[in-house]
Short mmCIF file of all heavy atoms in Angstrom, two decimals:
data_model
loop_
_atom_site.label_atom_id
_atom_site.label_comp_id
_atom_site.label_asym_id
_atom_site.label_seq_id
_atom_site.Cartn_x
_atom_site.Cartn_y
_atom_site.Cartn_z
N ASP D 1 -21.28 -147.50 82.87
CA ASP D 1 -22.60 -148.10 82.69
C ASP D 1 -22.68 -149.41 83.48
O ASP D 1 -21.95 -150.37 83.21
CB ASP D 1 -22.83 -148.36 81.20
CG ASP D 1 -24.27 -148.73 80.90
OD1 ASP D 1 -24.99 -149.15 81.83
OD2 ASP D 1 -24.67 -148.62 79.72
N ARG D 2 -23.59 -149.48 84.45
CA ARG D 2 -23.71 -150.67 85.30
C ARG D 2 -24.18 -151.90 84.54
O ARG D 2 -23.92 -153.03 84.96
CB ARG D 2 -24.67 -150.38 86.47
CG ARG D 2 -24.10 -149.43 87.51
CD ARG D 2 -25.19 -148.94 88.44
NE ARG D 2 -26.17 -148.13 87.73
CZ ARG D 2 -27.29 -147.67 88.27
NH1 ARG D 2 -27.57 -147.94 89.54
NH2 ARG D 2 -28.13 -146.94 87.55
N SER D 3 -24.86 -151.70 83.42
CA SER D 3 -25.34 -152.85 82.64
C SER D 3 -24.20 -153.59 81.96
O SER D 3 -24.38 -154.70 81.48
CB SER D 3 -26.36 -152.38 81.59
OG SER D 3 -25.73 -151.57 80.60
N ARG D 4 -23.01 -152.96 81.91
CA ARG D 4 -21.87 -153.57 81.24
C ARG D 4 -20.82 -154.08 82.22
O ARG D 4 -19.74 -154.47 81.81
CB ARG D 4 -21.21 -152.54 80.30
CG ARG D 4 -22.12 -151.98 79.24
CD ARG D 4 -21.38 -150.98 78.38
NE ARG D 4 -22.24 -150.37 77.38
CZ ARG D 4 -21.83 -149.44 76.50
NH1 ARG D 4 -20.57 -149.05 76.52
NH2 ARG D 4 -22.68 -148.93 75.62
N MET D 5 -21.11 -154.07 83.49
CA MET D 5 -20.09 -154.47 84.47
C MET D 5 -20.52 -155.67 85.28
O MET D 5 -21.71 -155.94 85.47
CB MET D 5 -19.76 -153.29 85.40
CG MET D 5 -20.91 -152.89 86.32
SD MET D 5 -20.43 -151.66 87.57
CE MET D 5 -20.10 -150.22 86.55
N ASP D 6 -19.51 -156.42 85.74
CA ASP D 6 -19.73 -157.58 86.59
C ASP D 6 -19.28 -157.31 88.03
O ASP D 6 -19.55 -158.09 88.93
CB ASP D 6 -18.96 -158.79 86.06
CG ASP D 6 -19.41 -159.19 84.66
OD1 ASP D 6 -20.63 -159.13 84.40
OD2 ASP D 6 -18.55 -159.53 83.82
N ASN D 7 -18.57 -156.19 88.21
CA ASN D 7 -18.00 -155.86 89.51
C ASN D 7 -19.06 -155.23 90.41
O ASN D 7 -19.52 -154.10 90.17
CB ASN D 7 -16.83 -154.89 89.31
CG ASN D 7 -16.06 -154.64 90.59
OD1 ASN D 7 -16.64 -154.53 91.67
ND2 ASN D 7 -14.74 -154.54 90.48
N VAL D 8 -19.47 -155.99 91.43
CA VAL D 8 -20.52 -155.49 92.35
C VAL D 8 -20.04 -154.25 93.10
O VAL D 8 -20.80 -153.30 93.31
CB VAL D 8 -20.92 -156.59 93.35
CG1 VAL D 8 -21.93 -156.04 94.35
CG2 VAL D 8 -21.49 -157.78 92.61
N GLY D 9 -18.76 -154.24 93.47
CA GLY D 9 -18.22 -153.10 94.19
C GLY D 9 -18.29 -151.82 93.37
O GLY D 9 -18.67 -150.76 93.89
N GLN D 10 -17.94 -151.93 92.09
CA GLN D 10 -17.98 -150.74 91.23
C GLN D 10 -19.41 -150.28 91.01
O GLN D 10 -19.68 -149.08 90.91
CB GLN D 10 -17.29 -151.02 89.90
CG GLN D 10 -16.99 -149.77 89.10
CD GLN D 10 -16.11 -150.05 87.90
OE1 GLN D 10 -16.06 -151.16 87.39
NE2 GLN D 10 -15.42 -149.03 87.44
N SER D 11 -20.34 -151.24 90.95
CA SER D 11 -21.75 -150.87 90.81
C SER D 11 -22.20 -150.07 92.03
O SER D 11 -22.96 -149.10 91.90
CB SER D 11 -22.60 -152.14 90.68
OG SER D 11 -23.97 -151.83 90.58
N GLY D 12 -21.69 -150.44 93.20
CA GLY D 12 -22.03 -149.70 94.41
C GLY D 12 -21.48 -148.29 94.39
O GLY D 12 -22.11 -147.35 94.90
N GLU D 13 -20.32 -148.12 93.77
CA GLU D 13 -19.72 -146.79 93.65
C GLU D 13 -20.57 -145.89 92.76
O GLU D 13 -20.77 -144.70 93.05
CB GLU D 13 -18.30 -146.91 93.10
CG GLU D 13 -17.34 -147.61 94.05
CD GLU D 13 -16.10 -148.12 93.37
OE1 GLU D 13 -15.85 -147.71 92.21
OE2 GLU D 13 -15.37 -148.94 93.96
N VAL D 14 -21.08 -146.45 91.67
CA VAL D 14 -21.96 -145.68 90.79
C VAL D 14 -23.23 -145.30 91.54
O VAL D 14 -23.72 -144.17 91.43
CB VAL D 14 -22.30 -146.48 89.52
CG1 VAL D 14 -23.31 -145.71 88.66
CG2 VAL D 14 -21.05 -146.77 88.71
N ASN D 15 -23.77 -146.25 92.31
CA ASN D 15 -24.97 -145.96 93.10
C ASN D 15 -24.73 -144.82 94.09
O ASN D 15 -25.61 -143.99 94.33
CB ASN D 15 -25.42 -147.21 93.86
CG ASN D 15 -25.98 -148.28 92.94
OD1 ASN D 15 -26.46 -147.98 91.85
ND2 ASN D 15 -25.90 -149.54 93.37
N GLU D 16 -23.53 -144.80 94.67
CA GLU D 16 -23.19 -143.73 95.61
C GLU D 16 -23.15 -142.39 94.89
O GLU D 16 -23.65 -141.38 95.41
CB GLU D 16 -21.85 -144.01 96.28
CG GLU D 16 -21.42 -142.96 97.30
CD GLU D 16 -22.33 -142.87 98.50
OE1 GLU D 16 -22.89 -143.92 98.89
OE2 GLU D 16 -22.51 -141.77 99.05
N PHE D 17 -22.57 -142.37 93.68
CA PHE D 17 -22.55 -141.14 92.89
C PHE D 17 -23.98 -140.68 92.59
O PHE D 17 -24.30 -139.49 92.68
CB PHE D 17 -21.80 -141.36 91.58
CG PHE D 17 -20.39 -140.84 91.59
CD1 PHE D 17 -19.32 -141.71 91.56
CD2 PHE D 17 -20.13 -139.47 91.62
CE1 PHE D 17 -18.02 -141.24 91.58
CE2 PHE D 17 -18.83 -138.99 91.63
CZ PHE D 17 -17.77 -139.88 91.61
N LEU D 18 -24.84 -141.61 92.22
CA LEU D 18 -26.23 -141.26 91.90
C LEU D 18 -26.91 -140.62 93.10
O LEU D 18 -27.62 -139.62 92.97
CB LEU D 18 -27.00 -142.51 91.47
CG LEU D 18 -26.58 -143.16 90.15
CD1 LEU D 18 -27.35 -144.45 89.91
CD2 LEU D 18 -26.78 -142.21 88.98
N SER D 19 -26.66 -141.19 94.27
CA SER D 19 -27.25 -140.65 95.50
C SER D 19 -26.74 -139.24 95.78
O SER D 19 -27.52 -138.34 96.12
CB SER D 19 -26.93 -141.58 96.67
OG SER D 19 -27.39 -141.04 97.89
N GLN D 20 -25.43 -139.04 95.64
CA GLN D 20 -24.83 -137.73 95.94
C GLN D 20 -25.21 -136.67 94.90
O GLN D 20 -25.33 -135.49 95.23
CB GLN D 20 -23.31 -137.86 96.01
CG GLN D 20 -22.80 -138.73 97.15
CD GLN D 20 -23.08 -138.13 98.51
OE1 GLN D 20 -23.32 -136.94 98.66
NE2 GLN D 20 -23.04 -138.98 99.55
N LEU D 21 -25.40 -137.10 93.65
CA LEU D 21 -25.73 -136.15 92.58
C LEU D 21 -27.17 -135.68 92.66
O LEU D 21 -27.50 -134.61 92.13
CB LEU D 21 -25.48 -136.79 91.21
CG LEU D 21 -24.02 -136.95 90.78
CD1 LEU D 21 -23.93 -137.82 89.53
CD2 LEU D 21 -23.37 -135.59 90.53
N ASN D 22 -28.04 -136.46 93.28
CA ASN D 22 -29.46 -136.10 93.34
C ASN D 22 -29.65 -134.70 93.95
O ASN D 22 -29.42 -134.50 95.14
CB ASN D 22 -30.24 -137.12 94.18
CG ASN D 22 -30.71 -138.30 93.35
OD1 ASN D 22 -30.93 -138.18 92.16
ND2 ASN D 22 -30.85 -139.45 94.00
N ASN D 23 -30.05 -133.76 93.09
CA ASN D 23 -30.33 -132.40 93.55
C ASN D 23 -29.22 -131.82 94.42
O ASN D 23 -29.48 -131.14 95.42
CB ASN D 23 -31.66 -132.38 94.31
CG ASN D 23 -32.82 -132.83 93.46
OD1 ASN D 23 -32.96 -132.41 92.32
ND2 ASN D 23 -33.65 -133.71 93.99
N CYS D 24 -27.96 -132.09 94.04
CA CYS D 24 -26.84 -131.59 94.84
C CYS D 24 -26.76 -130.07 94.82
O CYS D 24 -26.12 -129.47 95.69
CB CYS D 24 -25.52 -132.20 94.36
SG CYS D 24 -25.06 -131.83 92.66
N SER D 25 -27.41 -129.43 93.87
CA SER D 25 -27.41 -127.96 93.83
C SER D 25 -28.05 -127.37 95.07
O SER D 25 -27.72 -126.27 95.50
CB SER D 25 -28.14 -127.46 92.58
OG SER D 25 -29.51 -127.86 92.59
N GLU D 26 -28.98 -128.12 95.66
CA GLU D 26 -29.64 -127.65 96.89
C GLU D 26 -28.66 -127.60 98.05
O GLU D 26 -28.93 -126.96 99.07
CB GLU D 26 -30.83 -128.56 97.21
CG GLU D 26 -31.93 -128.50 96.15
CD GLU D 26 -33.06 -129.47 96.44
OE1 GLU D 26 -33.02 -130.14 97.50
OE2 GLU D 26 -33.98 -129.56 95.60
N ARG D 27 -27.53 -128.29 97.90
CA ARG D 27 -26.48 -128.28 98.93
C ARG D 27 -25.37 -127.30 98.56
O ARG D 27 -24.33 -127.26 99.22
CB ARG D 27 -25.90 -129.69 99.08
CG ARG D 27 -26.93 -130.72 99.50
CD ARG D 27 -26.46 -132.14 99.19
NE ARG D 27 -25.24 -132.50 99.89
CZ ARG D 27 -24.54 -133.61 99.65
NH1 ARG D 27 -24.96 -134.46 98.71
NH2 ARG D 27 -23.45 -133.87 100.32
N GLY D 28 -25.58 -126.54 97.48
CA GLY D 28 -24.57 -125.56 97.05
C GLY D 28 -23.44 -126.16 96.24
O GLY D 28 -22.35 -125.59 96.19
N ILE D 29 -23.70 -127.31 95.61
CA ILE D 29 -22.67 -128.01 94.85
C ILE D 29 -23.04 -128.04 93.38
O ILE D 29 -24.17 -128.42 93.01
CB ILE D 29 -22.49 -129.45 95.36
CG1 ILE D 29 -22.12 -129.47 96.84
CG2 ILE D 29 -21.44 -130.19 94.54
CD1 ILE D 29 -22.17 -130.85 97.48
N PHE D 30 -22.11 -127.67 92.53
CA PHE D 30 -22.29 -127.80 91.08
C PHE D 30 -21.21 -128.73 90.55
O PHE D 30 -20.03 -128.55 90.85
CB PHE D 30 -22.21 -126.45 90.37
CG PHE D 30 -22.42 -126.55 88.89
CD1 PHE D 30 -23.68 -126.76 88.37
CD2 PHE D 30 -21.35 -126.48 88.01
CE1 PHE D 30 -23.88 -126.89 86.99
CE2 PHE D 30 -21.53 -126.60 86.64
CZ PHE D 30 -22.80 -126.81 86.14
N VAL D 31 -21.60 -129.72 89.77
CA VAL D 31 -20.68 -130.73 89.27
C VAL D 31 -20.41 -130.53 87.79
O VAL D 31 -21.34 -130.33 87.00
CB VAL D 31 -21.25 -132.15 89.50
CG1 VAL D 31 -20.41 -133.20 88.77
CG2 VAL D 31 -21.29 -132.47 91.00
N ILE D 32 -19.12 -130.58 87.42
CA ILE D 32 -18.74 -130.60 86.01
C ILE D 32 -18.01 -131.91 85.75
O ILE D 32 -17.04 -132.25 86.45
CB ILE D 32 -17.80 -129.43 85.65
CG1 ILE D 32 -18.50 -128.09 85.88
CG2 ILE D 32 -17.35 -129.53 84.18
CD1 ILE D 32 -17.60 -126.88 85.59
#
């Protein structure tokens, strides 16, 4: 949860995950 962290770098990592997860099924990817 980004609201509980002070690490800017880790917040960027979560943002990257959010970007990659967006409708990833359209790219043939299913995440568990």
Side-chain angles (χ1 to χ4, degrees):
D1 191 341
R2 289 167 295 174
S3 67
R4 301 180 183 179
M5 67 172 68
D6 299 321
N7 188 321
V8 176
Q10 194 171 23
S11 179
E13 294 162 14
V14 176
N15 290 335
E16 181 64 33
F17 259 111
L18 293 175
S19 175
Q20 295 293 340
L21 286 170
N22 273 332
N23 300 314
C24 62
S25 62
E26 296 176 4
R27 300 161 61 189
I29 301 170
F30 181 75
V31 170
I32 298 178

